[in-house]
Amino acid sequence: MKRSLIAATALVAFSTASFAQDVAQKDSKWFTDALAKIQEMSIRQPITAKAKNVILFTADGNGVGTNYATRLFVGQQKGGLGEEYVLPYEQFPNLALVKTYNTNAQTPDSAPTASAMNTGVKSKFSTINVSENAVASDCSTLAGNELTTFAELMEKAGKSVGVISTARITHATPAAVYVNTVDRDWEDNTGIPEDCAQKDIADQLAEAMKSGRVDVAMGGGRRHFFPTDVTDEEGKGGKRTDGRNLIEELKGSGAQYAWDEESFKALTTGNNAPIIGLFESSHMKYEHDRTGEPSIAEMTEAAIKAMAGNENGYYLVVEAGRVDHANHDGNLHRTLTDGAAFAEAVALADQLTNDEDTLIIVTADHEHAIAFNGYCGRGSPITGLCYEIDDAGEKHLDTLNMADDGKPYTVAGFLNGPGAVLVKGEDEKFTAPEGRQTVTQEEATDPDYIQQAMIPLSSETHSGEDVAVYAKGPWAHLFDGTVEQNYIFHVMNHAVNAQ
Amino acid sequence: MDRRVFLTGLVCFAGVAPAEAGDETIRLRNFYNKDQSFSDYAVSMQGTRVAVSGFMAPPLKADSQFFVLTSRPMAVCPFCETSADWPDDILAVYTKRVFDVAPFNVPIVTHGTLELGTYKDPETGFVSRVRIVNAIYDRS
Ligand SMILES: [Zn+2]
């Protein structure tokens, strides 16, 4: 935050530097805004101090396309037309495009993508923090292929480590902070083959917290931490069949435990006790449906406050895990309300930290099969139908664009997924006898609407398209151009070790 | 009754309790308050015939008289994971007869008598908070 004040002061001093040209449009706001941006950019100085803290924000499945939709959605929620809006992290000074493929997959999944960010190398689909020589789900290939994680390096450097997710805390992205596993699905002991010595993901988290490698962990996934014959605070059963109750083990070792909004608010910070928050049996609720559990911004604030007392600093990973899930469901409304909550968490973290000592990175692990139609007028609702362009004005006309089938269509759609236009008939054939479903603006902008899709698939897929990485703070300027995803680790590692 | 009437009812509903039961199609979300307690509307409709729109989750077993209605298509088979992965706002539907399975992503409207309160199905072990019984369904 301080940094922008310095920049603003310098900007005033520089404003006389614009040279006299006779340009008819020189008084247009577009023109003067861009000139101001030139002045801001031309005096920008990189921060080359050593980073004390690193915060890595990932919105799962928030590629350039999904993020574009979030930008318009938040802008429209705030009363604007939407296109002009700038998300908090879009104001960050540094940006690169990220290639997200895995060593054996053009279309990535969240396990090796998170692994790339946490270890500095790419690996195979479905694996986390093991080298590309390991084979997915093959336990015998774990030994010798475990990779060193950024969290391990940070713990050795005396820093605190925190991990937050709105998905299960044992899900791929958060797990990459603390596990080595050949299979992302081994969230509790039930998935692990009998003769396999690898510890399950929940067990590895408990171990990391007991040993002091992880200090704060908050998210969903409670069921993976206790046995099948035990019911939790919300009356739901556990998944473990080894009889272990990792929550009780953690409490016994001095950890604070929270499971709902009330116990979350009762957490105390500054006493260095590890914090484990497990707010749902499975994933936490979508922001649209959230009740009785903290928001991603509230968890981020709690983690920062819990770890800020460490004079050596901290490494915090925050995942908005359900941007991805709503995309898989083809339900753009929940994708975007979770995206908006993610943006609020980033803004709050930025407010609570200092640009001079905290590197904040905002990225995604991969994109989805989302796509955008045209030609829509300014302000067409991003979850709704595409309006015609007003040739004389700015905002869209009130008439809808029609496809060749005489029906309107939404701005955004998916290339595949549950919203497929072709549906299974009684003869098992996929057809659309009456063509596409007709949809009204009211139906399309309903929070439960499923955007239309082309290829029928029960769950919409990821795509291999690029994601962006936005950054500010020490060595954020190392992000530029088009980079491999594993490069993110190297920027973090350079920033915390810079002399 | 013509299916289009239901669709129209759905669009007009907008969270206001209909004046007369059975004439309008309601959404699952109309049964709940934000904190997941039952809405006044749900309580007032207990024991009466209602029409609810939604999607048929892939049924537990073939030739059954039970299915789960969800507000959005169940993208992933919930039985491949655990029951904990059901969304909070589901409706257990006990049908009059053995029914034809609808694809998980085709909108349907179910008609039946509304029951509230936790109930564990002795046969499947499925626990529901809201049910409609003696039900039939149409593709909407
Ligand atoms: Zn995904």
Side-chain angles (χ1 to χ4, degrees):
Chain A
M1 278 284 130
K2 275 183 193 161
R3 192 90 192 164
S4 53
L5 288 179
I6 298 166
T9 319
L11 185 73
V12 176
F14 251 73
S15 58
T16 49
S18 54
F19 32 95
Q21 275 179 323
D22 195 16
V23 177
Q25 61 275 29
K26 68 180 179 351
D27 296 327
S28 156
K29 193 167 175 336
W30 297 111
F31 202 88
T32 53
D33 281 358
L35 273 183
K37 180 76 179 171
I38 288 282
Q39 288 173 335
E40 182 197 324
M41 295 295 283
S42 58
I43 57 163
R44 180 181 285 170
Q45 293 295 323
I47 303 174
T48 53
K50 186 190 275 206
K52 178 182 167 194
N53 311 311
V54 176
I55 307 180
L56 174 61
F57 278 98
T58 307
D60 199 309
N62 192 50
V64 172
T66 302
N67 192 72
Y68 161 78
T70 304
R71 179 197 303 155
L72 268 70
F73 182 79
V74 177
Q76 292 174 348
Q77 295 289 106
K78 289 186 187 293
L81 292 173
E83 297 82 1
E84 68 294 336
Y85 184 68
V86 183
L87 289 162
Y89 47 87
E90 291 179 323
Q91 295 165 30
F92 284 10
N94 300 100
L95 173 100
L97 283 177
V98 179
K99 296 158 75 180
T100 64
Y101 65 97
N102 310 139
T103 59
N104 62 344
Q106 183 179 73
T107 314
D109 85 290
S110 301
T113 51
S115 186
M117 294 186 243
N118 279 281
T119 65
V121 298
K122 291 204 183 214
S123 49
K124 283 203 179 84
F125 199 81
S126 293
T127 65
I128 306 174
N129 298 343
V130 294
S131 87
E132 62 184 302
N133 299 321
V135 177
S137 311
D138 183 346
C139 185
S140 70
T141 62
L142 176 73
N145 285 318
E146 298 103 326
L147 303 175
T148 304
T149 63
F150 191 62
E152 282 174 76
L153 298 174
M154 293 305 90
E155 191 244 322
K156 286 197 182 107
K159 295 185 197 294
S160 299
V161 173
V163 54
I164 290 168
S165 177
T166 52
R168 296 191 291 267
I169 198 68
T170 48
H171 215 240
T173 309
V177 175
Y178 59 82
V179 292
N180 304 99
T181 179
V182 291
D183 192 328
R184 58 175 284 174
D185 291 336
W186 293 354
E187 293 177 73
D188 55 62
N189 74 297
T190 56
I192 300 203
E194 236 166 58
D195 53 351
C196 176
Q198 190 204 298
K199 288 185 171 173
D200 63 77
I201 296 173
D203 192 3
Q204 290 195 49
L205 175 58
E207 191 176 81
M209 295 195 80
K210 286 184 224 166
S211 72
R213 177 145 47 86
V214 172
D215 301 277
V216 178
M218 288 187 277
R222 202 189 295 131
R223 65 189 189 191
H224 299 294
F225 290 80
F226 62 92
T228 48
D229 59 350
V230 174
T231 47
D232 67 13
E233 296 85 347
E234 297 183 297
K236 290 178 176 165
K239 293 267 283 176
R240 302 194 71 85
T241 54
D242 58 2
R244 289 180 65 193
N245 188 325
L246 302 176
I247 298 170
E248 292 305 322
E249 286 181 25
L250 280 167
K251 283 201 272 189
S253 71
Q256 301 185 71
Y257 169 61
W259 65 275
D260 67 350
E261 199 161 24
E262 206 175 308
S263 48
F264 169 77
K265 285 184 178 145
L267 291 170
T268 55
T269 58
N271 52 7
N272 208 27
I275 292 171
I276 175 93
L278 298 169
F279 301 106
E280 277 287 337
S281 177
S282 183
H283 304 298
M284 289 180 72
K285 292 188 197 311
Y286 287 114
E287 180 61 23
H288 178 78
D289 308 308
R290 187 168 61 83
T291 176
E293 54 196 57
S295 70
I296 186 171
E298 288 166 338
M299 291 192 289
T300 302
E301 181 178 19
I304 289 173
K305 288 186 171 161
M307 298 191 295
N310 184 341
E311 59 184 23
N312 295 318
Y314 56 82
Y315 170 49
L316 173 62
V317 174
V318 181
E319 186 206 25
R322 307 212 68 196
V323 169
D324 177 68
H325 297 164
N327 265 344
H328 281 303
D329 284 356
N331 177 218
L332 191 59
H333 184 87
R334 281 177 177 75
T335 298
L336 304 186
T337 42
D338 268 44
F342 174 73
E344 281 174 24
V346 175
L348 185 56
D350 189 19
Q351 255 175 50
L352 293 169
T353 54
N354 186 337
D355 293 354
E356 300 299 326
D357 69 8
T358 304
L359 171 63
I360 301 182
I361 298 171
V362 179
T363 189
D365 45 1
H366 56 75
E367 177 58 304
H368 275 262
I370 190 170
F372 300 89
N373 292 308
Y375 297 94
C376 313
R378 274 291 296 280
S380 289
I382 190 66
T383 58
L385 300 175
C386 176
Y387 283 115
E388 285 183 2
I389 295 166
D390 181 355
D391 288 339
E394 190 174 49
K395 193 181 172 184
H396 62 76
L397 296 172
D398 288 335
T399 44
L400 295 167
N401 278 310
M402 293 294 168
D404 289 353
D405 59 8
K407 296 173 181 177
Y409 51 88
T410 53
V411 178
F414 292 93
L415 194 53
N416 66 61
V421 173
L422 301 177
V423 294
K424 197 154 123 185
E426 274 158 31
D427 56 1
E428 303 282 301
K429 283 196 178 125
F430 285 82
T431 56
E434 285 156 53
R436 290 189 303 129
Q437 274 208 326
T438 303
V439 56
T440 65
Q441 190 65 276
E442 192 175 359
E443 288 166 338
T445 50
D446 187 281
D448 288 333
Y449 182 67
I450 304 297
Q451 266 66 24
Q452 289 180 346
M454 190 172 85
I455 296 167
L457 275 180
S458 97
S459 180
E460 180 269 353
T461 69
H462 302 169
S463 87
E465 195 174 348
D466 291 351
V467 303
V469 56
Y470 311 84
K472 73 183 308 193
W475 299 94
H477 56 284
L478 295 183
F479 286 116
D480 199 1
T482 302
V483 302
E484 293 288 359
Q485 195 159 40
N486 54 299
Y487 176 72
I488 292 171
F489 166 96
H490 296 275
V491 174
M492 298 194 296
N493 205 28
H494 184 86
V496 294
N497 289 304
Q499 294 303 322
Chain B
M1 194 180 282
D2 182 54
R3 280 165 202 172
R4 286 183 194 285
V5 176
F6 287 117
L7 269 181
T8 316
L10 177 75
V11 172
C12 299
F13 183 68
V16 185
E20 206 187 334
D23 280 2
E24 296 188 61
T25 302
I26 52 174
R27 309 280 288 256
L28 280 173
R29 62 190 185 211
N30 300 124
F31 290 134
Y32 298 96
N33 297 316
K34 174 90 183 176
D35 67 0
Q36 289 171 24
S37 57
F38 294 130
S39 65
D40 291 346
Y41 173 70
V43 173
S44 75
M45 296 303 285
Q46 242 185 122
T48 66
R49 296 277 298 174
V50 292
V52 190
S53 66
F55 298 87
M56 185 189 292
L60 286 153
K61 56 187 177 81
D63 297 333
S64 166
Q65 283 178 252
F66 167 70
F67 70 87
V68 174
L69 191 78
T70 57
S71 58
R72 287 172 284 133
M74 277 301 290
V76 179
C77 164
F79 304 106
C80 312
E81 288 217 47
T82 73
S83 56
D85 280 318
W86 285 105
D88 293 309
D89 56 341
I90 55 169
L91 179 71
V93 180
Y94 288 89
T95 56
K96 229 177 228 178
R97 315 234 187 285
V98 170
F99 58 88
D100 292 331
V101 174
F104 79 105
N105 59 347
V106 170
I108 62 171
V109 175
T110 58
H111 312 255
T113 306
L114 183 68
E115 286 186 3
L116 302 182
T118 301
Y119 170 76
K120 185 171 180 175
D121 187 310
E123 204 186 324
T124 61
F126 189 88
V127 177
S128 56
R129 291 182 66 210
V130 187
R131 289 161 301 287
I132 60 173
V133 299
N134 221 0
I136 56 166
Y137 86 86
D138 292 319
R139 286 198 182 193
S140 63

